[in-house]
Amino acid sequence: LAWLKFGSSLEVKQLPIAMQRTLDAEEMDFERTDAGASQTYQQQAGSIKRGSYVMLKGHPCKVVEVSSFSPGKHGHAKAHMVGQDIFTGKKYEETSQTSHHLEVPVVTKTEYPLMNLNAESFAVSLLQDNGELKIDLNLPAAAGKATEEDSKLQQDILRAFADELVISVVVIAACGMEKIISFSATD
């Protein structure tokens, strides 16, 4: 059956067999997506400052250096940015016209109480505001290429956990990735 519109009225008609088709399982397989929130937004390159976040070479970075060049023979001022990937610490550079728009990641920092820690797998259990456990994170140095800061942070968290201190961790999130970036411990 199909709804067909004739003039101002809708009628139900049986389509001829040749026009009917069934959907394959592949056609009905939809990828899951978020609630419509974007992971980035646009910002003019000339307004990016040191300490801002920006996507450089497809990576969410914190800008550590910005320099501007006055208009040259082609009449456009340029901005040269150097940024450090907020997850890996790797440096990226990019030059853009100051009037062009760049992608800026939506970056959030959230503090969670640490409920449990597996010292062998480095998996952590964090308590969310809604009372549910967040179990999809590991300590920062658990994922292969760790910076010295990540290794030191991980050792400090492990030591505080072994001393049975009350620990809260700060998690940075951007572009679908998350990482523990700091912690605090109290008696």
Side-chain angles (χ1 to χ4, degrees):
L1 294 179
W3 291 95
L4 300 174
K5 185 170 183 173
F6 294 103
S8 62
S9 64
L10 287 175
E11 294 183 27
V12 178
K13 298 279 185 181
Q14 177 72 35
L15 291 174
I17 299 292
M19 293 180 69
Q20 294 179 8
R21 70 181 191 106
T22 58
L23 295 176
D24 295 322
E26 290 178 5
E27 292 177 307
M28 294 179 61
D29 186 22
F30 299 103
E31 289 186 34
R32 187 169 181 210
T33 118
D34 60 11
S38 179
Q39 295 180 348
T40 62
Y41 61 93
Q42 299 274 316
Q43 187 172 344
Q44 197 169 23
S47 66
I48 306 279
K49 305 291 179 217
R50 185 172 183 224
S52 301
Y53 294 104
V54 68
M55 297 294 289
L56 297 177
K57 308 287 186 204
H59 300 272
C61 296
K62 185 169 189 172
V63 178
V64 294
E65 183 182 325
V66 178
S67 52
S68 297
F69 303 101
S70 55
K73 67 179 183 177
H74 297 294
H76 297 287
K78 299 218 188 290
H80 175 77
M81 287 165 265
V82 178
Q84 190 171 16
D85 188 307
I86 60 176
F87 296 109
T88 65
K90 187 174 178 184
K91 286 194 176 184
Y92 293 95
E93 295 184 45
E94 197 166 300
T95 302
S96 176
Q97 291 182 13
T98 56
S99 60
H100 285 187
H101 287 84
L102 296 176
E103 293 289 320
V104 176
V106 176
V107 178
T108 60
K109 292 181 183 178
T110 310
E111 186 171 357
Y112 297 103
L114 177 69
M115 301 307 293
N116 201 359
L117 166 66
N118 184 325
E120 292 176 14
S121 68
F122 304 117
V124 295
S125 297
L126 308 174
L127 184 62
Q128 300 180 92
D129 287 341
N130 63 6
E132 294 183 15
L133 286 180
K134 179 175 183 57
I135 57 172
D136 59 349
L137 271 176
N138 291 325
L139 289 175
K145 297 180 181 178
T147 64
E148 283 184 38
E149 286 179 17
D150 291 341
S151 297
K152 182 180 179 336
L153 177 61
Q154 180 166 308
Q155 290 306 316
D156 291 346
I157 292 172
L158 286 168
R159 192 174 306 111
F161 188 76
D163 292 343
E164 297 183 4
L165 299 176
V166 177
I167 301 171
S168 289
V169 297
V170 176
V171 175
I172 192 167
C175 300
M177 297 181 280
E178 294 179 309
K179 179 182 175 182
I180 297 172
I181 57 168
S182 65
F183 83 105
S184 61
T186 57
D187 289 334

